[in-house]
Amino acid sequence: MHIFEEFVLKVKEGDLLHLITVLFLAAALILSRSPAATAADLGLIDAAALKGNTSKWVILDARPRGDWDAGHIPGAIPFSWEIYTRTDAKGIQFSSFPPNELAAALAGLGIDEKSPVVVYGDAGKSWGGEGYGVWLLSWLGHRGPIRLLNGGFQAWTSRNLPLTKGAERGVAKKARYLVDLKPQYIVSTEDIQKGKGAYTLVDVRSTFEWFKGRIPGAVHIPWEDFHTGKDRRPLPAAELKKLLAKKGVDTSKPVVYYCLGGVRSAYAWMVSQLAGLPDARNYKGSWAAWEKRE
């Protein structure tokens, strides 16, 4: 019997207890199908809050490996986008590893899908790699909390907080990362080609790249506009909304961010998500894939 037919029947019978139970189950069913119920748990964490709790988090350093070698937050693992991308079989540069390989790599670091993770970078050097790390975990369906260190490496060092060099972790505990891909966070070349007019495209590359060529109909907002201040903190929600409105970005349709290879656009995606806007999408292949479209 359908749940709502049973609901009506029990109302007639006056079974109050069963009525309450059915209402509870109906509410749970609705919530379980709500997009919010499956959304990634994203947020910001300040340097002071992280300092006292580093042992409770898996900390990922999204800066270039050389910067990690020079000094990093104690316990941090190198997690540059360059480590997890390559030129794929179609000749598309900066393509992220397939989900199964990413899952194996994360498990090898002792990370499972429930691990609490903090990602940090230096937006001036990592090309938005911290956003890429946040997006990558979100796309894989990470269930644990994902936090961006607000202000990144600069916020940590400006407080004269400790740094260390070299690997500190022992052999990582064996883990298994279970992937639950979230299609609402990604878009493909085929999606864009078939869905003409269905998306609002935002090109976050430099002005020079923009003038060399762009996807028809795209709006141009350099990715640097998505962070602010000397610590390059993500643009607050109110300022982001003003920026998008000023540039004529239609948020009534799914917003797709793209760059050259999906890294800078992932940063813009992250800022949009942190601002509480409707789910945006990152064009993983970005311009590198668009140029090789069939």
Side-chain angles (χ1 to χ4, degrees):
M1 180 181 293
H2 192 279
I3 187 170
F4 290 107
E5 292 176 339
E6 186 176 355
F7 170 89
V8 174
L9 178 61
K10 291 302 179 181
V11 168
K12 291 179 180 179
E13 293 177 355
D15 190 340
L16 181 60
L17 179 60
H18 195 91
L19 170 60
I20 294 172
T21 302
V22 171
L23 283 171
F24 176 82
L25 292 173
L29 179 64
I30 293 171
L31 287 173
S32 69
R33 293 178 177 176
S34 168
T38 59
D41 179 5
L42 304 183
L44 298 171
I45 186 170
D46 289 327
L50 178 60
K51 177 183 179 295
N53 294 283
T54 53
S55 62
K56 296 181 180 180
W57 297 90
V58 175
I59 305 174
L60 302 180
D61 186 326
R63 299 175 301 152
R65 179 59 188 257
D67 289 284
W68 180 87
D69 289 333
H72 53 266
I73 295 175
I77 304 169
F79 201 77
S80 168
W81 61 270
E82 296 170 289
I83 300 173
Y84 300 101
T85 62
R86 62 175 174 237
T87 300
D88 68 13
K90 295 181 179 180
I92 299 172
Q93 294 179 296
F94 319 115
S95 183
S96 66
F97 290 2
N100 62 321
E101 290 187 36
L102 290 169
L106 289 166
L109 297 174
I111 301 172
D112 64 35
E113 72 281 359
K114 298 179 183 178
S115 298
V117 176
V118 171
V119 184
Y120 75 91
D122 174 348
K125 293 183 177 180
S126 50
W127 286 73
E130 54 269 57
Y132 186 77
V134 169
W135 170 78
L136 202 66
L137 290 169
S138 302
W139 173 52
L140 292 176
H142 196 78
R143 293 168 58 190
I146 306 170
R147 298 291 178 265
L148 176 76
L149 178 58
N150 200 12
F153 190 70
Q154 296 93 326
W156 186 269
T157 56
S158 67
R159 289 174 170 265
N160 294 316
L161 296 176
L163 298 175
T164 190
K165 295 183 180 181
E168 307 153 81
R169 294 160 57 95
V171 178
K173 295 180 180 178
K174 289 185 178 180
R176 182 185 180 193
Y177 195 99
L178 299 179
V179 172
D180 181 18
L181 291 179
K182 302 303 179 187
Q184 68 267 35
Y185 296 150
I186 195 169
V187 71
S188 68
T189 303
E190 293 72 24
D191 291 333
I192 295 174
Q193 287 179 308
K194 293 177 182 178
K196 292 181 179 179
Y199 305 106
T200 298
L201 299 170
V202 179
D203 186 324
V204 305
R205 298 174 301 159
S206 68
T207 301
F208 177 73
E209 291 172 293
W210 163 260
F211 279 121
K212 285 180 64 178
R214 64 264 195 180
I215 300 176
V219 176
H220 182 229
I221 308 176
W223 81 279
E224 293 93 342
D225 289 355
F226 289 85
H227 58 69
T228 184
K230 64 179 182 179
D231 289 345
R232 303 184 182 92
R233 296 173 185 260
L235 207 62
E239 292 184 35
L240 176 62
K241 291 175 182 177
K242 288 181 181 178
L243 173 65
L244 297 179
K246 179 181 178 181
K247 296 291 186 177
V249 175
D250 181 3
T251 55
S252 66
K253 296 185 291 186
V255 177
V256 171
Y257 294 101
Y258 77 90
C259 58
L260 175 60
V263 178
R264 290 170 288 175
S265 55
Y267 187 94
W269 174 91
M270 175 191 69
V271 175
S272 178
Q273 296 295 112
L274 289 172
L277 296 177
D279 283 337
R281 303 189 180 197
N282 183 31
Y283 182 9
K284 183 169 76 74
S286 279
W287 184 251
W290 183 257
E291 283 195 304
K292 294 184 178 296
R293 68 192 182 283
E294 296 180 359

